Amino acid sequence: MVRKNVRIKDIARLAGVSTGTVDRVLHDRGRVSQQALEKVLAVLNQIDYRPNLIARTLGSNRTYHLAALVPDPRQDPYWDQSSKGIEAARQDWAQYDVQVESFLFDLHDRSSFRTAAALLLKAKPDGVLLAPVFYQEALSFFDTLKLTGIPAVTFNTPIAEIHPLSFIGQDLYQSGRVGAELLHFGLQGPAHFIILHIAEDIHNAIHLAEKEKGFRDYLEETAPHEVGITTVNLNNPGDPDFKSHILALLTDNLLKGIFVSTSKATYIVASILSGHSKGNIRLVGYDLLEESSHFLQAGLIDFLINQNPKRQTQLGISHLANHLLFKRQPPASNLFPLEIISRQNSRSYLTSKVH
Amino acid sequence: MVRKNVRIKDIARLAGVSTGTVDRVLHDRGRVSQQALEKVLAVLNQIDYRPNLIARTLGSNRTYHLAALVPDPRQDPYWDQSSKGIEAARQDWAQYDVQVESFLFDLHDRSSFRTAAALLLKAKPDGVLLAPVFYQEALSFFDTLKLTGIPAVTFNTPIAEIHPLSFIGQDLYQSGRVGAELLHFGLQGPAHFIILHIAEDIHNAIHLAEKEKGFRDYLEETAPHEVGITTVNLNNPGDPDFKSHILALLTDNLLKGIFVSTSKATYIVASILSGHSKGNIRLVGYDLLEESSHFLQAGLIDFLINQNPKRQTQLGISHLANHLLFKRQPPASNLFPLEIISRQNSRSYLTSKVH
DNA sequence: GTGAAAGCGCTAACAA
DNA sequence: TTGTTAGCGCTTTCAC
C-alpha cells in the first residue's frame, strides 16, 4: 500500500544506467554523456525522488566547516543572542559533521571587521554567515566571497547591493508601522510621539531609518492631523547630559508615546525612566532581552517588538548546512514575523522551546 | 586533530569479541556469556562511546508507523490547520521511512472518538499523536496506550491526569490574561467587558474555562473595581436568534470590549459585527485563520492570539519520530508562545516561512 | 553464545 | 564516459 521511497538504484534501473551515473547527474559532477544525462533526467522528471539524507551523510563521510562573522557577544545582549543561536545551530548540526567557527568583530570598529574577515578567509570555510553591519566593508568582503565561490548568508542588516544565498531579518519598514500601531492603539485626539534613536547604534543605521519611515507613514495614514512626531537623536548614553535630556522630554503635556528604535536603546531608556513617573506615556521598543524584560514586567515598557536574533542565526546556519549537505536552495529572503511582546505574553516567549 | 569517534568495531577489537556481541550488550538483547559481557562492559567503562545515530537508523532500516487521532479537518478551519501540520510532518519524515496515518473523529460526537481510537489501535502504530478533546474517552484510550506501551503525544487540550511523552499547547490561563491585557490596554475609568463563549465549542471546555479564569484574574488584579465582566454563552450560531442576541449586546454604553474564546467563535462574531458600527468596542479573539484575517484587516478585530495549530501537530509528529528513531526525549510540556497578531504584523506572520 | 557477513542508501575511488 | 565496488557505522540474520 505504501510505496517504498525511490532509491538511486531504482532510478538507475529505470534509466538503464548505473548508480554511479545517476549520482553524477544528481550532483552535477560532470563526466556524463549527453545521452545518459537525458535518460536519467527523464526518469527524474517522472518520479518524485527524495534522497535519503541519512544515507547521504553516512556515505559521504565528509566534514563541513562553516564560519560566522558576527559582533562580539559581550558588547551587547542583542548580539549575545545571535551568538547563542550559532551555538544552538552548532549542536543541531554536529551529528552531521558540520562544524561552526565564529569570528568576532567590534561593533564600534570597522577595521576589526576587516581583520576578522581576513582571518575567516584564511580558514577557508565551506560557507559563511555574516552580519553586514558595516556597509563598505561588507561590500568588499562580499566581493571576495563571490570570487572564492563560498556561499554566504546574511542576517540582521538588509543590503540591497548584495545578493547572498539568503537574507534573514525582518521587514524594518513594517516593523516601524507596528510600533506606531501599538503606540496609537485606542488613543483619540491630538497627541505627540517621539522617535528615539541612539547615535551609538550607527551600525544599525538602516534599522533606524526604515523603522522611522514606517512609523511616520502609519500615523500619516491613520491619524493625519492629530499626531505630531519628533525625532530625537541622542548621543553616547554614558554622557552626563544623556539622562537629563531624556527626562526633559517627559515634561511635554501632549507626549503620549515614545518609540525607541533598537534593543539596547530600549532598555537604556527604560532604565532612565524607571523611578520617574512616566504617567500615561507609552513606551514601545525592541527585543525581549533579559535587560528589558524586567522593565516590561514593571510596566515601564508597554510593548516590545521581537527581532528574534537567536533564531535568525540559527536559521542562517541551518540554511548553509542544508545547502551544502543536501543541496537545498534556501529562500532568498526570510522575513521573520514581527512578534509583539507584552507583559502578559512575555513569559510564554521566554519559556517556549519552540522559539 | 579531530579524533574520530569510537565505533562498535573498535570496542569489539579492544574487548576481543565480535561486533555482534558488542551490539547485543549495548542493546541488552541477551544471549551473551557472563565472560563476554564483562569484557565489553570493561571497555565501555574506559571509553566514551557515542553511537552514531545516523548509522543506526540506516542500519536498522525499519519503517515506523505513526497514527494521529484528530478531529475531522472539514469541520472547522482551526482543525484544518492541525491536519495541515500533520501533512507537513508527513512529508518531513517520509524520507526516514516514518509513515503517518490520520484517524478522524467528529467534534460533536464522543462515540466517534471511541470508534476512531479503536481503529487506530488495530493498526498497531509505533506512536500516537492525539487531541484529547473528550475527557473520559481520552482517559480510557490513554490507559490502553499505556498497556500496549505505545508512546503518545497530546496537543491542544491539557489533561492533568494524563502523562504523555509530551504535551504541546499553550498556557490557556495566561492566554486569557493576554486577552484581558489587550482589551484593557490604555483604557481608563469604568468599563464593561464581555467574555463570549459559543456553546458549540463544548469540546474546548477546558479552553473556555481556563481562558476565562485568566481573563478575570487579570482584570481583578489590574483594575479591581473599574471593570465589570459578563460571561455570555451563546448556542448554535445557526440559530436565528444568534445574530440578534449578539447585536443586542452592543447597545450597552459602557461596553468597551469583547473577548471571544475560540477561533471559530471569533470569526463568526466578527462577521456578525461587520456592517454594524461597533464604535469603540474592542474585539479580541483567537487565531490568524483565513476566515478571520479579513476582519482583522477591516478593523473589526483588534487583536488575535495565535495558537498555531499547524505547528502544534507538526512538532508533535516530530517529537514522536525523533523519539523512535533517535531515542530523543522530548520535553514533557511544550507551551507555545502566546503570539499577538495585529493588523500591522499579521502579514509578517502569514508570509514568514519560519512559522 | 558467538562471529561472520549481508544489508540499509548513498558516495567516491577506481578500473575499464 | 561508464559501471563496479568498497566503504560509512550500525543492525540483524544465520550458521556454527
Side-chain angles (χ1 to χ4, degrees):
Chain A
M1 47 188 273
V2 181
R3 196 175 45 90
K4 265 275 191 185
N5 235 324
V6 184
R7 300 155 313 178
I8 283 193
K9 203 197 271 186
D10 301 319
I11 301 174
R13 187 169 36 77
L14 290 170
V17 296
S18 74
T19 62
T21 302
V22 175
D23 186 68
R24 279 184 288 263
V25 171
L26 285 172
H27 295 307
D28 265 340
R29 294 198 225 279
R31 305 196 311 169
V32 171
S33 68
Q34 187 62 28
Q35 220 182 2
L37 179 69
E38 276 164 15
K39 283 195 290 186
V40 174
L41 288 179
V43 175
L44 284 175
N45 271 331
Q46 296 286 329
I47 57 159
D48 176 33
Y49 172 64
R50 295 152 172 269
N52 182 324
L53 305 180
I54 286 190
R56 180 175 289 177
T57 31
L58 189 61
S60 75
N61 195 32
R62 74 160 279 191
T63 303
Y64 287 96
H65 297 268
L66 300 183
L69 184 57
V70 290
D72 192 322
R74 288 161 298 191
Q75 284 192 274
D76 185 318
Y78 176 85
W79 294 105
D80 183 55
Q81 290 298 310
S82 304
S83 282
K84 290 249 170 66
I86 293 175
E87 180 51 37
R90 191 201 315 281
Q91 292 181 17
D92 289 348
W93 290 96
Q95 50 170 323
Y96 296 102
D97 277 335
V98 174
Q99 284 163 22
V100 187
E101 190 178 357
S102 289
F103 294 84
L104 306 178
F105 61 86
D106 182 339
L107 266 180
H108 307 111
D109 176 8
R110 333 174 73 82
S111 78
S112 75
F113 182 95
R114 279 194 296 273
T115 317
L119 261 165
L120 182 155
L121 287 170
K122 273 218 190 85
K124 290 194 186 305
D126 301 296
V128 171
L129 175 72
L130 75 149
V133 295
F134 299 118
Y135 181 73
Q136 280 303 338
E137 286 73 8
L139 285 189
S140 93
F141 176 51
F142 214 77
D143 281 345
T144 328
L145 287 178
K146 269 270 148 78
L147 284 177
T148 54
I150 302 175
V153 169
T154 58
F155 72 98
N156 185 70
T157 316
I159 296 190
E161 292 83 351
I162 276 179
H163 296 288
L165 179 65
S166 183
F167 165 72
I168 297 163
Q170 280 186 321
D171 183 333
L172 300 171
Y173 172 81
Q174 194 63 31
S175 171
R177 292 183 68 98
V178 173
E181 179 186 41
L182 294 172
L183 275 194
H184 194 246
F185 176 68
L187 287 191
Q188 274 148 1
H192 181 206
F193 288 157
I194 286 177
I195 304 174
L196 202 58
H197 303 307
I198 289 198
E200 197 190 38
D201 285 325
I202 183 63
H203 52 272
N204 269 331
I206 302 178
H207 281 241
L208 312 195
E210 285 294 304
K211 288 171 181 173
E212 171 158 354
K213 192 145 157 276
F215 186 89
R216 287 180 174 275
D217 279 5
Y218 175 83
L219 291 168
E220 185 92 6
E221 293 166 20
T222 314
H225 302 296
E226 284 179 0
V227 179
I229 305 169
T230 312
T231 300
V232 176
N233 284 292
L234 285 179
N235 290 312
N236 184 1
D239 232 41
D241 290 346
F242 190 86
K243 188 169 176 171
S244 56
H245 201 142
I246 290 190
L247 291 176
L249 297 173
L250 302 183
T251 57
D252 173 0
N253 263 337
L254 263 182
L255 184 65
K256 295 280 197 258
I258 303 176
F259 175 58
V260 191
S261 55
T262 60
S263 57
K264 194 171 187 175
T266 302
Y267 60 81
I268 288 179
V269 170
S271 84
I272 288 175
L273 261 49
S274 106
H276 298 260
S277 118
K278 69 162 188 133
N280 281 324
I281 302 170
R282 296 181 182 175
L283 181 59
V284 169
Y286 280 89
D287 295 313
L288 182 57
L289 306 171
E290 219 176 298
E291 284 76 1
S292 46
S293 99
H294 165 250
F295 296 119
L296 184 68
Q297 288 316 315
L300 278 155
I301 297 174
D302 292 287
F303 291 106
L304 291 166
I305 300 171
N306 221 12
Q307 308 188 95
N308 238 322
K310 184 177 171 199
R311 288 265 298 171
Q312 289 197 16
T313 49
Q314 200 174 357
L315 183 67
I317 295 290
S318 155
H319 278 346
L320 284 169
N322 270 303
H323 179 71
L324 294 169
L325 263 70
F326 310 131
K327 310 282 175 257
R328 295 250 178 84
Q329 191 68 21
S333 166
N334 298 263
L335 296 181
F336 273 35
L338 298 159
E339 297 172 341
I340 298 174
I341 313 294
S342 70
R343 205 183 330 181
Q344 293 302 315
N345 79 350
S346 64
R347 268 195 64 77
S348 77
Y349 275 91
L350 291 170
T351 60
S352 165
K353 285 123 187 162
V354 184
H355 269 62
Chain B
M1 41 190 278
V2 182
R3 198 176 46 89
K4 268 280 183 183
N5 238 320
V6 182
R7 301 154 313 178
I8 284 194
K9 202 198 272 187
D10 301 319
I11 301 174
R13 188 169 34 77
L14 289 170
V17 296
S18 76
T19 63
T21 303
V22 176
D23 186 69
R24 279 185 286 263
V25 172
L26 286 172
H27 294 303
D28 266 341
R29 294 199 223 280
R31 306 195 313 168
V32 171
S33 68
Q34 187 64 27
Q35 222 181 359
L37 180 69
E38 277 164 14
K39 283 195 290 186
V40 173
L41 288 180
V43 175
L44 284 175
N45 272 330
Q46 297 287 329
I47 57 158
D48 176 33
Y49 172 65
R50 298 147 166 273
N52 183 327
L53 299 177
I54 288 192
R56 178 175 290 175
T57 33
L58 186 61
S60 71
N61 191 37
R62 64 164 288 188
T63 303
Y64 287 96
H65 297 269
L66 300 184
L69 184 57
V70 290
D72 192 322
R74 289 161 298 191
Q75 284 193 271
D76 183 320
Y78 176 84
W79 293 105
D80 183 54
Q81 289 298 309
S82 304
S83 281
K84 290 248 169 66
I86 292 174
E87 182 50 36
R90 190 202 316 282
Q91 291 182 18
D92 289 348
W93 291 96
Q95 48 172 314
Y96 301 106
D97 276 334
V98 174
Q99 286 163 21
V100 187
E101 190 178 357
S102 289
F103 294 84
L104 304 177
F105 60 87
D106 181 339
L107 268 180
H108 308 111
D109 177 5
R110 331 175 73 83
S111 77
S112 75
F113 183 95
R114 278 194 297 272
T115 318
L119 263 164
L120 182 155
L121 287 169
K122 273 218 191 84
K124 289 193 186 306
D126 301 295
V128 172
L129 174 73
L130 74 148
V133 295
F134 299 118
Y135 181 74
Q136 280 304 337
E137 285 73 8
L139 285 190
S140 93
F141 176 51
F142 214 77
D143 281 345
T144 328
L145 287 177
K146 270 270 148 77
L147 284 176
T148 54
I150 301 175
V153 169
T154 58
F155 73 100
N156 186 71
T157 315
I159 297 191
E161 292 83 352
I162 275 179
H163 298 288
L165 180 65
S166 185
F167 166 72
I168 297 164
Q170 281 187 321
D171 183 333
L172 301 171
Y173 172 82
Q174 193 64 31
S175 172
R177 294 184 67 100
V178 173
E181 179 186 41
L182 293 172
L183 274 195
H184 193 247
F185 176 68
L187 286 191
Q188 275 148 0
H192 181 205
F193 288 156
I194 286 177
I195 304 174
L196 201 58
H197 303 306
I198 290 200
E200 199 189 37
D201 285 325
I202 183 64
H203 51 272
N204 269 332
I206 301 178
H207 282 240
L208 311 194
E210 285 293 304
K211 288 170 180 172
E212 170 157 356
K213 193 145 156 275
F215 187 90
R216 287 180 173 273
D217 279 5
Y218 174 85
L219 291 168
E220 183 92 8
E221 293 166 20
T222 316
H225 303 296
E226 286 180 359
V227 179
I229 305 168
T230 313
T231 300
V232 176
N233 284 290
L234 285 180
N235 290 311
N236 186 1
D239 232 43
D241 291 346
F242 191 86
K243 186 169 177 171
S244 56
H245 200 141
I246 289 190
L247 291 175
L249 296 173
L250 302 183
T251 57
D252 173 0
N253 263 336
L254 264 182
L255 185 65
K256 296 280 197 260
I258 303 177
F259 175 57
V260 192
S261 55
T262 60
S263 58
K264 192 171 187 177
T266 301
Y267 61 80
I268 289 179
V269 170
S271 83
I272 288 176
L273 260 48
S274 105
H276 298 260
S277 118
K278 69 162 189 131
N280 281 322
I281 301 171
R282 296 181 182 175
L283 181 59
V284 169
Y286 281 89
D287 295 313
L288 182 57
L289 306 172
E290 219 176 300
E291 284 76 2
S292 47
S293 99
H294 165 250
F295 296 119
L296 184 68
Q297 289 314 317
L300 277 155
I301 297 174
D302 292 286
F303 292 105
L304 291 167
I305 300 171
N306 221 12
Q307 308 186 97
N308 239 321
K310 185 177 171 201
R311 288 265 297 169
Q312 288 196 16
T313 49
Q314 200 173 356
L315 183 67
I317 295 291
S318 156
H319 278 345
L320 284 169
N322 270 302
H323 179 71
L324 294 169
L325 264 68
F326 304 126
K327 311 280 174 256
R328 296 247 177 85
Q329 191 68 22
S333 166
N334 298 262
L335 296 180
F336 273 35
L338 299 159
E339 296 173 342
I340 298 175
I341 312 294
S342 72
R343 202 179 338 177
Q344 293 302 315
N345 79 351
S346 65
R347 268 194 64 79
S348 77
Y349 275 90
L350 290 170
T351 61
S352 166
K353 288 126 186 159
V354 184
H355 268 62

